[in-house]
Amino acid sequence: MDATQDRSEPRLQSAASLKAFMMTTSTQSDRNLYDHLTRLLMKVMDEQPQNAVDVIEDMSHDVKRTFFEDEQSTLRDLNQTTAAELLAEQQRRLFAQPAEEEQEEEELMEPSALPNVSEIGFYLEQAGVGLGREEMQRVFLALKQLVGSQALLRCRLWGKVLGTESSYIVAEAEYGEGEEEEEKSFEEVAEEEEGEEETQENEMDRLPQSAYKPPPAVPKEDLGTGTNKFVYYVCKEPGLPWVKLPSVGPAQVTAARQIRKFFTGRLDTPVVSYPPFPGNEAQYLRAQIARISAGTQVSPQGFFQAGREEGDEEDEATRDSFEGIPAAKMAESLSTWVHHVQHILQQGRCTWVNLAVKTGEDSEEGEAEEKEELDEPEPEVGPPLYTPLSEDAEMFNVPPWTSKMSSTLTSQHAVAVQRSNLWPGAHAYACGKKFENIYVGWGLKYAGEGYNPAVPPLPQKEYPSGPEITEALDPSLEQELVLKEALEEQQAAIEEMEDMDDEDDEEDDD
Amino acid sequence: MDSNSLYYSLELVAGTGSTLSVEQRAALQTSLVMLKKNYKFHRVLFWGKILGLNSDYFIAQGRGEDEMQDKKNLYSLNCMDWSLLPPATDSMIQDVSKAAKSRFIGDPSYVYEYHEKKPEQEDEAGENEAAIKVIEEIRLAVTVHLIEEEASVVPRGAFVKSPLGVVQINRSFGGLSQSEARKLDSFFHFSKAKNPEKSILEIGDLNPAIDFLDVLSDDIPKGSWSLQFECASSVCVLRSLLWLGLTFYHVPMTPQHGYIYIGDGAKNLDLPFML
């Protein structure tokens, strides 16, 4: 017994040392002999191949291959940036810190072009309107970027217009004096194109010109006045570059009043409608923005005061000594709120233009006399600038505004909110001395029961009908023969008469 | 949207313009929990808000065992006191569509009247004028029912139909992928399917446990849904153009989804002119 024990100890020891040797990991690959042999024998147990001893080398190879770890994958990393990543890159720039010099300058400048962004976001949330906190923050940073890139006197968030494919975030801006750019309007470009076409016609034979003169176009308002008082910039998402919208003309406002279309989200989409809209979606958006501003931009009474009147325009100036009206009173009565944007007249402008006078100068003498005989068109008058909301007209039996307090439980600190029923999505809030307007919606007016599209006009008369051009039936063959016989009889009767006269004459002569 | 997810999901649908103020959110979180306990619902959803001229209605919906059949709607004027809305029947729908026009007033007991005049019996006009009277509560119930029928949205795979016909939440729904979330056919109406007859070729790829609802892309007119990615392209938002104000959100690759209606409760019948 002792002998076997004695013999087994060294045997065990040598077995242990052999096992330790087998378990050393190879320097070249990350494997060791012990694990390899284990896996190989397990494979043999599982598969039980025939003539295992002959195929054992191949099996060893297979086992090694399965555990071969590729350092290089055969697939290359495809750098597919998703849309979210692209947008994140662009929005990252919003959060960039400005250079130190600029920061000092900003602190020194007193009234900055940007409003207090977080405060407005907070009040809007109290009122139940808004885009969500993070989105609002991004929007305001984008506004800051806009102010930095263009030299703007004042800039504020006008709102958001939703579209079917994407939405527009709209910013309202006011240029400083002397920094207005002149734009080529849509109409001027069209006139140039027409001029080219006419010269081509002169070379060829002249086609008959129609005597139709279209009614004279109402002139656009100048930048800085009326509907074009502010300039609007839009962008799709905060962080993407801002696009300036063209100024609006009366023809576009008039057409926009008659159509009802969703926005798609691309500024160059044509607006297919009847009556045809002069322009693309950019002009349609601008026209709707003008209408919404004129209808729903309101402020507490007394905040803006009318400056000196120069002609038809009134200047606004914020009254620094404005003491806020308590919120409860603002929510109760509509007369504490006033419009501070001019109403758009039927003509499509804020100030009325007498078209008849203008055409009298241009036309020839003959026409000038006619025009003077016509009655002068009556000037259109709209409600004056600071009309209180209580005078807003009701449409479709719906009061134009709904007032609310933001909270009934803590009414001493609540915010008074006005919600427009005519332009769903337009809100205004006032709290003490602060107020703000915002529009978030589809850009369409409340149309009551249903929208009735405009009917095309009756076809015009081509030529006054008279006897010369009325058609008559050609006489048929029998009628012509009858007429011919009647004529011949007449002729024969006349000849007989003449013969008889001749005979009488002859007899007399004899 | 689920009352449990009210904290963050309101931010995701805020792109449409309306949110709830903090006070209302706090009130809702408290009252919805009480509601769930009192009515023994399996889960409570905050359905949305219907804006009236004088005040707004807050609507909540409780779901029972079967998500499609056991639905109960409740309304409140102040987010605290809730009243049950009656289920909408066909006669109610007819009456409301005749009598109630223009906006909601905001007073649940307001009476809308409609006088039906029968031209043949003009002599006895006084006797034969049938006046249909509808109170605003009924109008509210009908409106909520119609919006649920026509505009409620769920992503494909979020609900399963068991062999017994009971519709339940799919607990292993992992969310739609980024590419699936861009297609309108990954979204279904959550109402009784009025499927047009589909050919065998189309049905072949579908799974009857998941695809038992109508697809949004079959809606007429085409283009009545607007699919966008918001919040830095991380949330897929669907907006209905037929019922302006209904917003559905879904965060791809997560099981978060829900819809809410904040609007004036009017169907947009001018849709064909506007597209």
Side-chain angles (χ1 to χ4, degrees):
Chain A
M1 287 296 286
D2 291 337
T4 48
Q5 273 184 355
D6 284 343
R7 256 182 291 163
S8 66
E9 273 208 32
R11 201 176 274 178
L12 282 176
Q13 269 184 0
S14 58
S17 62
L18 179 62
K19 184 172 175 186
F21 170 73
M22 283 205 292
M23 286 184 86
T24 51
T25 36
S26 140
T27 45
Q28 285 182 345
S29 56
D30 231 352
R31 298 186 292 269
N32 58 44
L33 184 58
Y34 186 79
D35 287 335
H36 178 71
L37 284 177
T38 323
R39 285 188 212 120
L40 181 58
L41 289 174
M42 276 172 58
K43 188 170 170 139
V44 169
M45 271 194 328
D46 288 335
E47 293 181 9
Q48 310 246 341
Q50 283 194 340
N51 303 331
V53 66
D54 296 325
V55 298
I56 195 74
E57 283 88 8
D58 289 328
M59 290 183 77
S60 168
H61 254 293
D62 281 338
V63 172
K64 276 201 185 160
R65 209 184 301 138
T66 29
F67 286 94
F68 180 61
E69 276 158 28
D70 233 343
E71 290 195 9
Q72 248 192 2
S73 147
T74 48
L75 297 172
R76 268 180 299 166
D77 260 341
L78 198 57
N79 281 337
Q80 256 180 353
T81 38
T82 59
E85 289 163 15
L86 281 172
L87 192 59
E89 276 297 308
Q90 296 202 308
Q91 290 188 333
R92 192 159 173 237
R93 281 182 247 140
L94 286 178
F95 295 94
Q97 288 281 346
E100 278 192 17
E101 304 164 359
E102 289 176 30
Q103 257 183 347
E104 286 177 17
E105 277 180 31
E106 272 182 30
E107 287 169 22
L108 293 173
M109 267 168 38
E110 285 176 12
S112 77
L114 264 191
N116 184 346
V117 302
S118 339
E119 198 177 26
I120 295 183
F122 167 73
Y123 281 121
L124 285 174
E125 196 185 341
Q126 294 288 84
V129 188
L131 301 172
R133 285 204 203 138
E134 287 87 10
E135 192 72 12
M136 273 298 213
Q137 192 61 31
R138 269 182 234 126
V139 166
F140 283 130
L141 286 173
L143 274 185
K144 179 174 150 207
Q145 208 181 49
L146 177 65
V147 169
S149 61
Q150 318 256 340
L152 299 170
L153 187 61
R154 243 193 318 229
C155 177
R156 65 172 260 270
L157 174 67
W158 184 86
K160 179 173 173 183
V161 177
L162 302 168
T164 53
E165 288 170 29
S166 78
S167 312
Y168 298 108
I169 298 185
V170 182
E172 182 183 83
E174 201 174 325
Y175 277 126
E177 289 180 10
E179 294 193 24
E180 297 165 7
E181 299 169 14
E182 289 196 7
E183 318 159 357
K184 242 188 187 178
S185 67
F186 191 70
E187 296 153 12
E188 285 174 14
V189 170
E191 280 175 19
E192 284 179 19
E193 291 175 5
E194 282 176 25
E196 291 171 12
E197 288 173 19
E198 279 177 17
T199 48
Q200 282 178 12
E201 276 188 25
N202 282 336
E203 295 165 4
M204 307 183 299
D205 289 336
R206 279 214 166 184
L207 296 169
Q209 304 283 337
S210 89
Y212 169 70
K213 282 211 165 44
V218 184
K220 252 198 210 185
E221 289 180 287
D222 295 327
L223 290 175
T225 63
T227 42
N228 287 322
K229 184 154 188 209
F230 295 106
V231 180
Y232 292 91
Y233 289 86
V234 291
C235 78
K236 261 199 210 178
E237 291 258 351
L240 295 179
W242 291 89
V243 177
K244 184 167 160 177
L245 284 181
S247 51
V248 66
Q252 288 150 2
V253 171
T254 328
R257 279 180 166 146
Q258 294 174 304
I259 65 176
R260 197 168 165 79
K261 281 279 198 184
F262 278 123
F263 293 96
T264 59
R266 281 170 290 128
L267 283 174
D268 50 0
T269 329
V271 177
V272 179
S273 64
Y274 184 79
F277 186 80
N280 289 340
E281 185 157 306
Q283 278 92 2
Y284 179 42
L285 179 62
R286 181 65 181 83
Q288 290 291 90
I289 291 177
R291 288 175 69 201
I292 294 175
S293 295
T296 62
Q297 301 278 322
V298 295
S299 57
Q301 188 172 44
F303 193 89
F304 288 115
Q305 77 183 61
R308 316 161 266 122
E309 286 193 27
E310 296 176 352
D312 291 337
E313 294 168 26
E314 299 178 10
D315 284 21
E316 292 177 2
T318 52
R319 209 158 59 163
D320 286 324
S321 58
F322 170 68
E323 294 136 16
I325 307 178
K329 212 167 158 205
M330 298 222 66
E332 266 177 41
S333 80
L334 284 177
S335 51
T336 45
W337 297 82
V338 295
H339 287 277
H340 62 261
V341 174
Q342 275 183 312
H343 176 82
I344 301 185
L345 301 168
Q346 200 66 23
Q347 211 179 32
R349 294 168 49 110
C350 289
T351 46
W352 186 74
V353 153
N354 192 350
L355 291 170
V357 171
K358 215 171 170 198
T359 49
E361 296 168 2
D362 293 344
S363 58
E364 304 165 357
E365 289 182 2
E367 288 179 79
E369 291 172 6
E370 284 180 40
K371 291 277 191 306
E372 284 170 9
E373 290 173 5
L374 290 173
D375 294 324
E376 289 264 325
E378 289 206 11
E380 292 170 21
V381 173
L385 188 55
Y386 298 109
T387 338
L389 258 57
S390 40
E391 316 232 341
D392 270 4
E394 250 189 37
M395 280 181 78
F396 309 110
N397 290 332
V398 160
W401 294 89
T402 300
S403 342
K404 304 180 79 57
M405 291 283 280
S406 67
S407 122
T408 42
L409 298 173
T410 51
S411 33
Q412 58 267 50
H413 299 297
V415 175
V417 180
Q418 288 287 346
R419 197 171 66 206
S420 170
N421 293 323
L422 293 181
W423 291 98
H427 294 84
Y429 76 81
C431 182
K433 290 195 190 177
K434 302 175 201 135
F435 81 98
E436 186 58 67
N437 297 288
I438 196 169
Y439 178 83
V440 183
W442 296 90
L444 301 163
K445 195 167 185 176
Y446 177 63
E449 281 310 307
Y451 159 70
N452 291 319
V455 180
L458 291 173
Q460 294 171 340
K461 283 202 182 307
E462 291 180 357
Y463 201 87
S465 55
E468 311 96 46
I469 59 162
T470 25
E471 291 181 3
L473 284 174
D474 278 347
S476 66
L477 189 57
E478 293 101 2
Q479 286 174 346
E480 283 197 7
L481 287 174
V482 164
L483 192 60
K484 191 171 167 194
E485 283 175 14
L487 277 176
E488 283 175 6
E489 282 175 22
Q490 269 189 12
Q491 202 64 359
I494 292 175
E495 282 174 12
E496 280 182 21
M497 291 282 287
E498 286 178 8
D499 286 346
M500 282 173 50
D501 286 342
D502 288 344
E503 285 174 10
D504 287 341
D505 287 341
E506 283 176 12
E507 287 174 2
D508 288 339
D509 285 343
D510 288 349
Chain B
M1 66 190 43
D2 223 320
S3 54
N4 308 332
S5 61
L6 209 57
Y7 321 94
Y8 55 85
S9 36
L10 276 176
E11 294 280 311
L12 300 174
V13 289
T16 319
S18 315
T19 53
L20 295 180
S21 75
V22 185
E23 183 188 316
Q24 287 163 348
R25 251 185 272 177
L28 275 177
Q29 280 169 13
T30 320
S31 59
L32 289 181
V33 167
M34 304 285 304
L35 211 60
K36 188 168 165 188
K37 172 180 155 238
N38 290 340
Y39 284 88
K40 300 192 181 42
F41 290 136
H42 278 228
R43 58 186 197 128
V44 179
L45 313 178
F46 177 60
W47 188 88
K49 220 167 119 167
I50 294 202
L51 309 172
L53 292 177
N54 295 336
S55 59
D56 306 331
Y57 295 105
F58 294 86
I59 315 276
Q61 191 177 74
R63 299 264 176 97
E65 175 80 37
D66 184 341
E67 293 274 332
M68 205 123 82
Q69 311 283 353
D70 303 334
K71 279 191 228 177
K72 285 204 174 71
N73 298 320
L74 302 105
Y75 77 97
S76 155
L77 288 162
N78 59 0
C79 287
M80 266 300 166
D81 311 310
W82 296 88
S83 330
L84 195 60
L85 280 174
T89 59
D90 283 335
S91 64
M92 275 160 63
I93 297 178
Q94 281 214 351
D95 286 344
V96 165
S97 58
K98 280 190 206 149
K101 312 267 182 188
S102 94
R103 302 277 308 266
F104 276 87
I105 301 291
D107 171 18
S109 48
Y110 180 82
V111 178
Y112 295 94
E113 284 193 23
Y114 174 74
H115 293 275
E116 237 181 68
K117 293 194 182 134
K118 297 190 181 158
E120 311 127 21
Q121 299 153 338
E122 272 176 12
D123 307 324
E124 315 155 34
E127 299 173 14
N128 285 323
E129 256 184 44
I132 300 181
K133 291 194 186 166
V134 169
I135 58 172
E136 186 149 291
E137 207 183 43
I138 306 281
R139 185 182 179 194
L140 195 60
V142 167
T143 310
V144 172
H145 171 84
L146 285 176
I147 296 180
E148 277 279 307
E149 277 278 315
E150 299 180 11
S152 54
V153 186
V154 292
R156 177 171 186 263
F159 288 89
V160 278
K161 191 167 186 176
S162 77
L164 301 170
V166 177
V167 177
Q168 284 166 338
I169 306 180
N170 182 0
R171 304 249 166 229
S172 50
F173 176 56
L176 297 174
S177 68
Q178 290 279 350
S179 56
E180 277 177 6
R182 285 180 199 274
K183 287 187 272 182
L184 208 56
D185 16 329
S186 338
F187 299 98
F188 293 152
H189 280 291
F190 195 60
S191 52
K192 201 138 186 179
K194 311 166 198 96
N195 269 332
E197 289 298 317
K198 284 206 174 147
S199 69
I200 295 193
L201 280 176
E202 290 173 36
I203 300 186
D205 286 331
L206 305 178
N207 179 349
I210 297 180
D211 298 296
F212 56 96
L213 298 166
D214 287 328
V215 184
L216 280 195
S217 40
D218 282 343
D219 268 1
I220 294 167
K222 276 209 189 319
S224 52
W225 290 91
S226 143
L227 180 75
Q228 292 176 27
F229 274 76
E230 294 227 340
C231 282
S233 296
S234 56
V235 182
C236 162
V237 171
L238 266 178
R239 292 200 185 101
S240 169
L241 301 177
L242 190 57
W243 291 94
L244 287 175
L246 183 113
T247 317
F248 163 84
Y249 78 94
H250 173 55
V251 185
M253 300 309 280
T254 68
Q256 295 167 28
H257 66 92
Y259 63 89
I260 196 173
Y261 178 84
I262 299 187
D264 54 9
K267 188 166 180 175
N268 182 19
L269 294 167
D270 308 327
L271 183 60
F273 291 119
M274 294 159 80
L275 287 175

